[in-house]
Amino acid sequence: MDHFNRRNGVLHAEDVSIARIAREVGTPVYIYSTATLERHAQVLKAALADLPRVHIAFAIKANPNLAVLGVLARNGYGADVVSGGELKRALAAGMKAEDIVFSGVGKTRRELQLGLDEGIGQFNLELEEEGEVLADLAHAQGKVAPAVLRVNPDVDAGTHAKISTGKAENKFGVAIDRAPDIFARLARRPGLNLRGVAIHIGSQLKELAPLEAAYRRVGELVAQLRAAGHTITHVDLGGGLGVPYHPGEQVSSAEAFGAMVKRVTAGWNVTLMFEPGRFICGNAGVLATEVIWVKPATGHPYVIVDAAMNDLARPALYDAYHGFEAVEPSGERFVANIAGPVCETGDTFAMGREIDLVKSGDLAVFRTAGAYGATMASTYNSRPLVPEVLVSGDRYAVVADRIQAETIMGAERVPEWAR
């Protein structure tokens, strides 16, 4: 469920007309709904409420906007970060350092030190050498770093290959059969409190079976580690719950997920940690765009919009589907291709899709754009960086400016000898 609905035939974000935002802010523009963010945050918390000890950390990579993070911080969410920049964003948004989990396969020594300096709640270790370096850094300062070891269970998440993270050939975590020996060596290191294990098998999972299989493997590992004398107090189960992109698409509910977790983890006696991203913010955002041209072509016409692959990269990267609809539809439909103005054949959002009939100057939106949208934007073709708007009830605010080419060029330097 989201809070993007029609009133008198015009699409609104909560109580604000998208046509008004487009008129006052310009297009393309990302628009987020506070009510949707809050609802999804609370639905997941409620689904996990029966578990004895729970920590929820929003995966900042899905949507790092400070205003969005502030909404989630007020709803009791911590942060799952994968870079020093994301760590700084989490703190700037009001998230507590002890509620921050530092994930990621390529944490630098400087980033590890930043996490120690800020006193974050947990490091998710991706390899043995990383644990050794973290232990040495912490011990040199008289500190003990809280950490878990991320394991790779070799479970196929059944999602797109580029967002699958739990198969043997993926770059994340250590092989689960090697984990006991690595855990034992790291657990002996001064400066490191290795208190558990972590797992994350992929993103946009529509079914629970792959997650349940992975969790059961982790449960077996926890029992094995305890039998070897290790104290296990935390298990990070990652994120990955999917959202519906296609009309009528079925995905697992938060309630079904919570029931599965409760069943599988019964008797573990640990703090369970979760890292949702897309599930919280995916349906909480749209990308508003204006139709530039409807271009006749061999076969279907091309609807050329002012949003492009640099604003919303998922279709070009993953052949991802985003619903497309007119802000003020006439009721007529036609079959068309949807493309942006970037000078790449890959700057295409849909081919041969039945959509609302639109013409030059009409407004439209790409749906389910609140996750992996603005965060992946670029300035390719020297296009401005897309702005972001947050709506709450009948008011809205620009929460990220449109960054123009002139501003971007202002950060560039031409040395005297190159002129």
Side-chain angles (χ1 to χ4, degrees), residues 34-204:
T34 299
T36 307
L37 289 167
E38 291 179 335
R39 179 182 182 276
H40 290 173
Q42 293 306 316
V43 163
L44 184 59
K45 287 179 71 173
L48 302 173
D50 286 343
L51 298 170
R53 297 187 302 280
V54 170
H55 179 272
I56 307 178
F58 176 68
I60 284 187
K61 61 181 177 289
N63 190 322
N65 184 277
L66 288 174
V68 168
L69 298 183
V71 171
L72 298 177
R74 291 192 298 275
N75 279 267
Y77 275 54
D80 169 57
V81 306
V82 293
S83 72
E86 287 191 350
L87 194 162
K88 293 175 182 178
R89 277 186 172 271
L91 294 172
M95 291 167 166
K96 298 176 182 177
E98 59 265 31
D99 289 335
I100 296 176
V101 176
F102 203 154
S103 302
V105 71
K107 297 185 284 294
T108 66
R109 285 161 175 77
R110 182 175 296 177
E111 288 173 323
L112 293 173
Q113 185 61 61
L114 175 64
L116 287 171
D117 291 344
E118 297 293 348
I120 67 168
Q122 181 171 290
F123 295 86
N124 287 8
L125 303 176
E126 291 272 356
L127 70 161
E128 187 169 2
E129 186 179 4
E130 180 187 16
E132 293 170 345
V133 170
L134 177 62
D136 289 344
L137 288 172
H139 185 60
Q141 301 170 72
K143 297 180 179 179
V144 177
V148 300
L149 180 65
R150 179 171 177 177
V151 299
N152 186 321
D154 193 21
V155 170
D156 187 348
T159 189
H160 193 285
K162 292 186 178 180
I163 51 177
S164 177
T165 60
K167 297 172 68 176
E169 63 266 29
N170 296 142
K171 67 181 181 179
F172 299 96
V174 302
I176 197 164
D177 59 337
R178 296 183 57 227
D181 289 341
I182 294 174
F183 195 103
R185 289 192 291 270
L186 289 178
R188 292 193 292 266
R189 302 287 297 232
L192 199 63
N193 173 22
L194 196 58
R195 61 188 192 178
V197 293
I199 189 172
H200 177 70
I201 65 170
S203 186
Q204 185 52 15

Side-chain angles (χ1 to χ4, degrees), residues 1 40 116 133 140 205 250 264 384 388 394 413:
M1 176 183 173
H40 290 173
L116 287 171
V133 170
L205 276 69
Q250 297 298 309
V264 172
E388 300 165 79
D394 62 358
R413 301 288 182 271

Side-chain angles (χ1 to χ4, degrees), residues 16-368:
V16 182
S17 164
I18 287 178
R20 174 190 164 195
I21 295 174
R23 183 174 63 252
E24 296 176 357
V25 179
T27 57
V29 56
Y30 279 97
I31 303 170
Y32 309 128
S33 160
T34 299
T36 307
L37 289 167
E38 291 179 335
R39 179 182 182 276
H40 290 173
Q42 293 306 316
V43 163
L44 184 59
K45 287 179 71 173
L48 302 173
D50 286 343
L51 298 170
R53 297 187 302 280
V54 170
H55 179 272
I56 307 178
F58 176 68
I60 284 187
K61 61 181 177 289
N63 190 322
N65 184 277
L66 288 174
V68 168
L69 298 183
V71 171
L72 298 177
R74 291 192 298 275
N75 279 267
Y77 275 54
D80 169 57
V81 306
V82 293
S83 72
E86 287 191 350
L87 194 162
K88 293 175 182 178
R89 277 186 172 271
L91 294 172
M95 291 167 166
K96 298 176 182 177
E98 59 265 31
D99 289 335
I100 296 176
V101 176
F102 203 154
S103 302
V105 71
K107 297 185 284 294
T108 66
R109 285 161 175 77
R110 182 175 296 177
E111 288 173 323
L112 293 173
Q113 185 61 61
L114 175 64
L116 287 171
D117 291 344
E118 297 293 348
I120 67 168
Q122 181 171 290
F123 295 86
N124 287 8
L125 303 176
E126 291 272 356
L127 70 161
E128 187 169 2
E129 186 179 4
E130 180 187 16
E132 293 170 345
V133 170
L134 177 62
D136 289 344
L137 288 172
H139 185 60
Q141 301 170 72
K143 297 180 179 179
V144 177
V148 300
L149 180 65
R150 179 171 177 177
V151 299
N152 186 321
D154 193 21
V155 170
D156 187 348
T159 189
H160 193 285
K162 292 186 178 180
I163 51 177
S164 177
T165 60
K167 297 172 68 176
E169 63 266 29
N170 296 142
K171 67 181 181 179
F172 299 96
V174 302
I176 197 164
D177 59 337
R178 296 183 57 227
D181 289 341
I182 294 174
F183 195 103
R185 289 192 291 270
L186 289 178
R188 292 193 292 266
R189 302 287 297 232
L192 199 63
N193 173 22
L194 196 58
R195 61 188 192 178
V197 293
I199 189 172
H200 177 70
I201 65 170
S203 186
Q204 185 52 15
L205 276 69
K206 302 176 187 178
E207 299 178 352
L208 297 180
L211 287 170
E212 180 166 350
Y215 294 171
R216 290 194 182 280
R217 295 206 69 187
V218 168
E220 294 168 358
L221 175 61
V222 168
Q224 185 179 357
L225 292 172
R226 282 175 169 162
H230 300 294
T231 300
I232 305 297
T233 60
H234 291 70
V235 175
D236 190 332
L237 295 177
L241 286 176
V243 299
Y245 283 95
H246 294 262
E249 184 176 14
Q250 297 298 309
V251 297
S252 297
S253 68
E255 293 78 11
F257 175 71
M260 181 272 286
V261 172
K262 183 178 180 181
R263 182 180 70 253
V264 172
T265 65
W268 284 16
N269 190 27
V270 296
T271 295
L272 292 173
M273 309 180 74
F274 302 89
E275 300 164 3
R278 186 193 317 262
F279 184 81
I280 303 298
C281 63
N283 288 328
V286 299
L287 174 61
T289 185
E290 181 176 325
V291 177
I292 305 173
W293 311 110
V294 178
K295 178 182 178 182
T298 301
H300 305 303
Y302 272 89
V303 174
I304 309 296
V305 297
D306 64 358
M309 63 185 289
N310 70 293
D311 305 308
L312 179 61
R314 295 186 70 254
L317 285 177
Y318 314 130
D319 294 320
Y321 179 99
H322 285 270
F324 180 85
E325 58 189 80
V327 170
E328 299 184 56
S330 66
E332 296 184 77
R333 308 273 290 176
F334 75 145
V335 177
N337 308 319
I338 308 168
V342 158
C343 195
E344 294 275 355
T345 301
D347 184 23
T348 304
F349 295 103
M351 297 294 289
R353 186 188 298 179
E354 182 181 332
I355 60 172
D356 293 325
L357 181 66
V358 292
K359 63 184 184 302
S360 178
D362 283 353
L363 295 173
V365 297
F366 290 101
R367 285 278 201 163
T368 319

